[in-house]
Amino acid sequence: GVIEVEQQRLTIRDLLSVGQTNLASVPYIQETSFTNAATTVAEEGEKPEATFALQDEFAPVRKIAVIAKVTDEMWNDFPTLRDYINSRLRFMVQQREEAQLLSGAGTGSEITGILTASIQSQALGSDTHADAVHKAITKVRSVGFFEPDGAVFHPDDWQQMRLAKDDNNQYYGGGPFSGPYGQGAFMAAERYWGLPGVVTTAITSGTGLGGAFKLGAQIWDREGITVDATNSDEDDFRYNRMAIRVEERLALAIYRLNAFCKVTGI
């Protein structure tokens, strides 16, 4: 078999809601803020009016694609290599999708990623990592009124937070063979302030992201991953080559900006 080089675990899609669309651009209404005017009223009393700040948005469907070429002999004589190329090209597309969902610039053919949108922000400042992350998820609760369901960190930042110790040299999150704060027989689950800690190189080192991912945003799949092959590209037929193309089309709708808060400077 083919021994592959190391590759990151793909996780961001799993955090988000996923739907299907047949549109080239998905229309949706984005809630930027609201005022809760509900209160008690007397009999025949005037009822207070709530206000919403809503705006029409469109999530354009974008394509992520990659192509590779192999000889006919390689493709036909080595099934292992054929399967390797299929899986490797698929991974390349999925890895790019992961980065786009978080940090796509929203210009040209790029998706507008969550971190690029006008979400809430919390700077590290003089806080500890733990304090800054907690303040961020508190903003999701107190400003957005959403319950966070995940937090995303770069592996380097996660290591720094995970290895934090107190003055007695005990790990705050439990050591390699023990539970929380050096007690118990089992290692603590990889959670941070009660949230699943998603560790991925798709996010830039020094930036964290907490949020209510399932309620705050949604992936809309226009076309799932497709694999096509041809020998008619350029002069491939003359030289017994095949071009393999893998691509997908999707959109990302960010419904509620206040459902997310990024942490900077960690």
Side-chain angles (χ1 to χ4, degrees), residues 124-248:
L124 177 67
S126 60
D127 290 329
T128 64
H129 290 84
D131 288 352
V133 172
H134 196 281
K135 288 180 179 180
I137 61 179
T138 296
K139 284 184 176 180
V140 174
R141 291 187 174 114
S142 63
V143 179
F145 300 100
F146 300 104
E147 186 58 29
D149 54 19
V152 183
F153 304 103
H154 188 276
D156 293 343
D157 299 326
W158 178 257
Q159 174 177 265
Q160 192 171 4
M161 295 184 291
R162 191 66 181 83
L163 298 183
K165 300 178 182 179
D166 66 4
D167 293 338
N168 296 319
N169 210 33
Q170 296 184 80
Y171 292 103
Y172 286 117
F177 304 107
S178 63
Y181 207 65
Q183 301 176 8
F186 303 99
M187 188 169 68
E190 297 291 21
R191 303 178 73 86
Y192 206 72
W193 290 118
L195 301 179
V198 176
V199 183
T200 174
T201 54
I203 194 169
T204 305
S205 178
T207 300
L209 175 65
F213 288 85
K214 293 292 185 185
L215 292 175
Q218 183 170 6
I219 296 170
W220 289 98
D221 284 326
R222 177 64 175 85
E223 295 176 12
I225 292 181
T226 59
V227 181
D228 297 296
T230 181
N231 64 356
S232 301
D233 183 46
E234 297 177 332
D235 55 2
D236 287 348
F237 184 78
R238 176 190 295 262
Y239 292 102
N240 289 94
R241 290 190 298 249
M242 294 184 63
I244 301 98
R245 182 184 67 200
V246 178
E247 61 185 9
E248 68 169 344

Side-chain angles (χ1 to χ4, degrees), residues 3 23 26-27 70 79-80 164 206 212 223 225 231 237 252 256 261 263:
I3 307 302
L23 301 174
V26 180
V70 296
T80 300
E223 295 176 12
I225 292 181
N231 64 356
F237 184 78
L252 177 64
R256 302 170 180 92
C261 184
V263 186

Side-chain angles (χ1 to χ4, degrees), residues 35-57:
T35 301
N36 183 359
T39 187
T40 57
V41 294
E43 183 177 354
E44 295 184 349
E46 182 180 1
K47 312 307 185 292
E49 180 181 351
T51 58
F52 300 87
L54 305 174
Q55 59 189 31
D56 293 331
E57 293 288 347

Side-chain angles (χ1 to χ4, degrees), residues 113-128:
I114 295 173
L115 290 171
T116 310
S118 301
I119 62 174
Q120 301 185 82
S121 181
Q122 175 66 44
L124 177 67
S126 60
D127 290 329
T128 64

